[in-house]
Amino acid sequence: MKNEVKLKKDQNLEDIFLNDKKIKFPECIDIKLSYENIRKELKKYHDNADSNPSIISLKEIIKEIQNISNEDSDIDHDKLKKINKILDNEDYFIFLNKHGSIHVQHVIENASKILSYFNSGLNSLEIFVLLSAIQLHDSALVYGRFNHEININTIMNKEINKYINDVTLSNIIFQVASTHSGKVKYDNDKVSKDVIDNKSSKLDYENNDFLNFPIRSKLLAAILRFADEISDDYRRVNEQALKDNMLGVSEIYHEYSKSVRNILIYKDDKNHNILKIHYRIDKKLINKKFKKTKEKEIFLIDEIFNRTKKMELERRYCMRFMRDYFYIYGIEVIIKIVNYTDDNIDESNFESGAYTVNNYSEHIVSYSLYESGYPEEDFKENEKIINIESIIEELNKKGWDIKNEY
């Protein structure tokens, strides 16, 4: 493709876009200046993305209770039941992990990592669309968690469109950003997660030039969606809220993020690209049950398995749109269960190696997720491997003294 930018290993897409003077840009629109303005405008949304969903939830609770209180009849048992039902709804009390500036930069890093493996590059207008969509994708969380991928349009109209001045280009950015999550509903009321085909097909410029620059909207949507999927790690944890036991049913999501230590792409002995994920779990958390909903509890290691299964489904889905340029063949998972006696260890130095631990030991659980056989048979072999009972049994053989409470 003409005017394409091919990223090398460890290069950052945003840095290249803003600083590489060799990149050819469209002549009739200053997309570099437009992106700088978009990034600046969205910073205030990113700064509030971590706290506003919780504030919005409290406002929704108050509004619901006020609606009940304003009913004509006096407070009675029926009203009290309605109020209690609202207060029992955990969806109001989701305490999200970090979705602000740190997360945005992490998604850009992962998109850059993916693009460094491509057999070709993106042109400057495609880079502009992708970076703008990444900046935009979680910004509408300031209005609440529900339908945030659709509420992006409000921010587009309010903050972004004035810097683009082209309806078609604005619509492409919105479509790419909004496909990072959500569902679509067909005329027969069937609901599907196939948002890239269904949303991007409305603005499918796969075979057309825009300002003499082709825009592969579905490819860009898939890059954003998968980069976002693999951007959940220890940097997104609200450590203070976790320490103060403030998270309730959200605790499991923060503990999951905390357990993700590294995600990388490597080539196996067949020269296939493999996604490798490293987790670390403290022994003390192995047999702890976390509330997932009011009725359901889950072990952290089961949450890891469920999340990696979801990641494998996202891999299969997103690779459908990337296969001509890049392909990840499967996912390898390494879970390191650690046991050490020094309770005063500073885990912030754990990754750098700048720590001393007495009586340290570890247990490794590993498995792979990939396509093989008939699709309905997927994951069964691995479900036998990731079994909390057998893991505790193996740890106790090593003298770890973990109580069986499953």
Side-chain angles (χ1 to χ4, degrees), residues 15 17 31 40 63 67 74 112 144 178 204 221 227 313-314 354:
D15 291 341
F17 178 74
I31 57 175
K40 182 179 178 180
K63 183 178 178 180
N67 289 339
D74 296 330
S112 303
S178 66
D204 191 352
L313 294 176
E314 288 293 330

Side-chain angles (χ1 to χ4, degrees), residues 59-205:
K59 288 181 178 178
E60 288 174 350
I61 293 171
I62 293 171
K63 183 178 178 180
E64 291 286 349
I65 292 176
Q66 286 175 338
N67 289 339
I68 295 172
S69 300
N70 289 334
E71 293 177 3
D72 294 335
S73 59
D74 296 330
I75 292 291
D76 55 24
H77 291 294
D78 289 336
K79 285 189 176 182
L80 288 175
K81 286 180 180 178
K82 291 180 182 179
I83 292 172
N84 287 330
K85 185 177 180 180
I86 293 170
L87 296 177
D88 281 342
N89 185 354
E90 283 93 348
D91 284 339
Y92 283 125
F93 297 97
I94 294 295
F95 198 124
L96 296 177
N97 56 12
K98 294 178 181 178
H99 284 71
S101 298
I102 292 175
H103 174 58
V104 169
Q105 287 306 311
H106 196 189
V107 176
I108 292 175
E109 289 172 14
N110 280 326
S112 303
K113 185 185 302 182
I114 290 168
L115 286 165
S116 71
Y117 284 86
F118 268 42
N119 58 23
S120 62
L122 304 179
N123 65 55
S124 60
L125 195 59
E126 288 176 319
I127 296 174
F128 169 68
V129 169
L130 178 57
L131 288 174
S132 299
I134 292 174
Q135 293 286 344
L136 189 64
H137 81 284
D138 276 336
S139 58
L141 283 170
V142 296
Y143 301 128
R145 184 168 61 96
F146 298 103
N147 291 325
H148 74 278
E149 72 280 359
I150 302 301
N151 294 332
I152 290 170
N153 203 33
T154 301
I155 297 176
M156 288 288 298
N157 292 329
K158 185 177 180 181
E159 308 284 6
I160 305 305
N161 290 342
K162 59 187 175 185
Y163 296 117
I164 300 174
N165 294 322
D166 187 279
V167 174
T168 301
L169 191 55
S170 293
N171 283 338
I172 295 173
I173 293 171
F174 166 69
Q175 293 293 341
V176 171
S178 66
T179 54
H180 79 280
S181 65
K183 298 177 181 179
V184 291
K185 190 173 183 179
Y186 297 107
D187 293 337
N188 61 1
D189 291 335
K190 181 182 177 182
V191 176
S192 170
K193 293 182 179 181
D194 184 15
V195 291
I196 294 178
D197 262 337
N198 282 279
K199 289 185 177 179
S200 293
S201 59
K202 298 176 184 177
L203 292 164
D204 191 352
Y205 291 90

